[in-house]
Amino acid sequence: MISMFLFKSLDRNISICIAILLAIACIVPALNLLVPADNVFHVPTYAVSLFGKYLTYALLALALDLVWGFCGILSLGHAAFFALGGYAMGMYLVRQIGSRGVYGNPLLPDFMVFLNWKEMPWYWYGFDHFWFAALMVLAVPGLLAFVFGWLAFRSRVTGVYLSIITQAMTYALLLAFFRNEMGFGGNNGLTDFKDLLGFNIQSQGMRTSLFAVSAIALAVALLISSAIVRSKFGKVLVGLRDAEGRTRFLGYRPENYKLVTFTVSAMMAGVAGALYVPQVGIINPGEFAPANSIEVVIWTAVGGRGTLIGPIIGATLVNFGKSIFTAQFPEIWLFALGALFVATTLFLPKGIVGTVQQVWRSNKDRKRAGALERLRAAKDAEKGAKLATEPLAAE
């Protein structure tokens, strides 16, 4: 029944995007592992990791689009859920280091030994098991989003006030994780990872596997998001976005719909963070920075919010441009990003995909109107010819 619910929601564009992602998950690792390095079609390992990072960013943008594009909740705190998922995965990876750390302590991570910790905090227990870490990747961001949403939505906090509160939550977590007393590595964060599921995290095979998993996770998230927004539940979400008061008067409980959507979105962001950490090799409090959440908003706006596919394209294009600009012109990147957002707001308010869809619909409507006009003219001509022949028949 769940599979019917998921696949019933697929349209042509979503199906094509999912097929492309699944094809990328197979083709890119093959070009890296099977094609010789001197071949023009070879994809270097560093490029695999770089584009794997782009896929996790695309998953994060998709998570934001689910709440912003379809529910009208402009969250400026999705970086918090992303970072929490990353820390959950980072804690598992740190536990896998064991006695291979700088201080050789088989139980305590290096930063705890350096800070003279005598024992591991209770909230680190269980992270030596992958299944527990994977559960926490979903549970921790989801629980935070549920508690935050339950308090905010039942208090009917909306609009810019809700955006400010989400940003304040992110900044509070940033300050908390910077403290050494929290037991998460302080401002240095967690790094120096060795293994993932018993395999060397730096190996070529693991890099390509992480890329493939990231592409598949994005495809699954796109499928789930499409199923949500194309269902009756999704129609209510759009109603809340466009006219919350009217939807409430129809008998719906907006806070419940918002809470479910916000929680699902946070869990998706947590998965994105968990896939991001092993590919970049570090997680630190800087990932909680409010500027990161604002960048996600820019990715979504550039691609086209409320389209699902648009945020994926926007995140990929903007981060690809960021990689180029920060390498060639690092001092003007932030100005370029700001100019991009202003240009999008002024000239592409619906984003890239939204604008393309609007032009496509306009052309389609124009062709349909032209066809109807020609049909009407043909009928009028036929009626005129018939009227003209009636007197002749009478004679």
Side-chain angles (χ1 to χ4, degrees):
M1 186 174 182
I2 295 178
S3 60
M4 287 294 295
F5 170 72
L6 291 175
F7 290 103
K8 187 180 179 181
S9 66
L10 290 176
D11 62 10
R12 181 170 177 270
N13 295 332
I14 298 295
S15 300
I16 292 174
C17 187
I18 291 176
I20 291 173
L21 289 171
L22 295 178
I24 289 174
C26 299
I27 294 173
V28 173
L31 293 177
N32 175 259
L33 296 173
L34 303 179
V35 177
D38 57 350
N39 192 293
V40 68
F41 293 106
H42 175 75
V43 178
T45 303
Y46 79 88
V48 172
S49 297
L50 181 63
F51 285 105
K53 184 176 71 171
Y54 294 165
L55 290 173
T56 63
Y57 286 154
L59 179 54
L60 175 58
L62 176 62
L64 177 64
D65 189 43
L66 187 60
V67 294
W68 185 30
F70 295 93
C71 202
I73 302 172
L74 177 55
S75 171
L76 297 180
H78 260 53
F81 307 128
F82 180 83
L84 287 173
Y87 264 98
M89 178 57 67
M91 292 167 72
Y92 164 77
L93 296 174
V94 166
R95 291 299 304 272
Q96 301 307 300
I97 297 175
S99 59
R100 292 173 293 174
V102 175
Y103 297 100
N105 192 306
L107 297 178
L108 298 180
D110 286 338
F111 71 89
M112 291 186 185
V113 178
F114 178 78
L115 295 173
N116 294 321
W117 288 56
K118 303 303 180 184
E119 59 182 0
M120 185 173 292
W122 62 269
Y123 45 83
W124 276 77
Y125 294 150
F127 279 97
D128 51 337
H129 302 289
F130 180 79
W131 67 267
F132 183 82
L135 180 62
M136 291 299 104
V137 164
L138 296 172
V140 174
L143 181 60
L144 175 63
F146 181 85
V147 174
F148 177 88
W150 190 85
L151 296 173
F153 300 143
R154 289 184 178 274
S155 301
R156 298 192 181 183
V157 180
T158 58
V160 66
Y161 304 104
L162 181 62
S163 300
I164 293 173
I165 293 175
T166 57
Q167 192 171 52
M169 173 193 69
T170 305
Y171 191 67
L173 288 170
L174 168 69
L175 297 178
F177 274 73
F178 258 120
R179 298 179 63 88
N180 289 327
E181 296 84 355
M182 287 288 292
F184 295 107
N187 62 336
N188 292 322
L190 307 176
T191 187
D192 194 29
F193 307 134
K194 308 292 185 184
D195 297 332
L196 174 59
L197 294 174
F199 298 96
N200 183 4
I201 201 172
Q202 299 294 337
S203 66
Q204 187 179 10
M206 180 54 68
R207 292 292 181 182
T208 54
S209 297
L210 287 170
F211 174 89
V213 172
S214 299
I216 294 172
L218 179 57
V220 172
L222 182 58
L223 177 62
I224 294 174
S225 300
S226 177
I228 291 174
V229 301
R230 291 175 64 86
S231 65
K232 293 181 180 179
F233 184 92
K235 301 298 186 293
V236 177
L237 291 182
V238 175
L240 294 176
R241 180 195 65 189
D242 296 338
E244 181 174 337
R246 293 184 180 182
T247 308
R248 187 186 298 274
F249 290 141
L250 288 174
Y252 294 100
R253 298 286 298 273
E255 56 272 16
N256 294 339
Y257 286 87
K258 289 182 178 181
L259 184 59
V260 171
T261 309
F262 194 65
T263 303
V264 171
S265 175
M267 294 169 72
M268 289 169 54
V271 172
L275 293 170
Y276 168 84
V277 169
Q279 296 187 81
V280 300
I282 188 173
I283 177 70
N284 59 38
E287 298 298 336
F288 286 100
N292 291 351
S293 294
I294 296 175
E295 277 199 47
V296 182
V297 172
I298 295 176
W299 305 339
T300 307
V302 169
R305 74 184 183 100
T307 61
L308 294 181
I309 299 175
I312 297 175
I313 296 175
T316 304
L317 291 179
V318 173
N319 282 284
F320 182 73
K322 181 179 181 179
S323 298
I324 295 176
F325 268 87
T326 52
Q328 303 295 331
F329 313 102
E331 65 278 358
I332 67 172
W333 160 244
L334 291 178
F335 297 100
L337 184 64
L340 176 64
F341 187 60
V342 172
T344 301
T345 304
L346 293 177
F347 305 109
L348 294 174
K350 295 182 180 297
I352 296 173
V353 174
T355 302
V356 171
Q357 289 179 346
Q358 185 179 23
V359 172
W360 177 267
R361 292 194 196 99
S362 298
N363 291 335
K364 197 173 182 180
D365 292 341
R366 193 180 300 110
K367 290 179 180 179
R368 186 183 292 112
L372 291 174
E373 186 65 27
R374 289 191 296 271
L375 180 61
R376 190 180 297 110
K379 287 184 177 180
D380 291 341
E382 183 181 354
K383 180 185 285 188
K386 186 176 181 181
L387 290 174
T389 57
E390 284 180 356
L392 298 176
E395 292 176 2

